[in-house]
Amino acid sequence: MFRDKNKEEKRFDEKLVQNYQHGLIYILVDRKTGVNYMHVWNTQGSGLTPLLDENGKVIVDPIDGSE
């Protein structure tokens, strides 16, 4: 019920961070599911969406089984 925040591991890893015009693009990977997300941030706002391949399927990275 109560979690020790000092022992909590990160849920997301940054796979890529790139400057784009007046903002940033992040590619994040969910460490529990392997799903890749694109987070775009600029001075006007931000957005988050899963990354899709050329067939419209969600891009999923293999997960390290040691967790």
Side-chain angles (χ1 to χ4, degrees), residues 47-61:
L48 179 74
T49 188
L51 283 179
L52 305 177
D53 66 12
E54 62 275 2
N55 298 315
K57 304 229 183 214
V58 176
I59 295 175
V60 179
D61 287 353

Side-chain angles (χ1 to χ4, degrees), residues 33-58:
T33 64
V35 174
N36 284 240
Y37 295 91
M38 180 173 64
H39 176 242
V40 179
W41 175 90
N42 65 32
T43 57
Q44 302 297 313
S46 67
L48 179 74
T49 188
L51 283 179
L52 305 177
D53 66 12
E54 62 275 2
N55 298 315
K57 304 229 183 214
V58 176

Side-chain angles (χ1 to χ4, degrees), residues 1 6 28 47 57:
M1 183 166 143
N6 294 330
L28 305 171
K57 304 229 183 214

Side-chain angles (χ1 to χ4, degrees), residues 2-67:
F2 297 102
R3 292 187 239 171
D4 183 355
K5 295 191 184 223
N6 294 330
K7 292 185 180 181
E8 238 178 84
E9 290 191 30
K10 293 187 329 178
R11 173 74 187 248
F12 294 92
D13 285 327
E14 290 179 352
K15 189 174 188 179
L16 173 81
V17 178
Q18 179 177 328
N19 289 318
Y20 180 73
Q21 294 179 355
H22 298 290
L24 294 170
I25 297 174
Y26 297 89
I27 303 300
L28 305 171
V29 179
D30 185 330
R31 295 178 67 180
K32 293 191 185 286
T33 64
V35 174
N36 284 240
Y37 295 91
M38 180 173 64
H39 176 242
V40 179
W41 175 90
N42 65 32
T43 57
Q44 302 297 313
S46 67
L48 179 74
T49 188
L51 283 179
L52 305 177
D53 66 12
E54 62 275 2
N55 298 315
K57 304 229 183 214
V58 176
I59 295 175
V60 179
D61 287 353
I63 301 171
D64 180 17
S66 64
E67 292 186 43

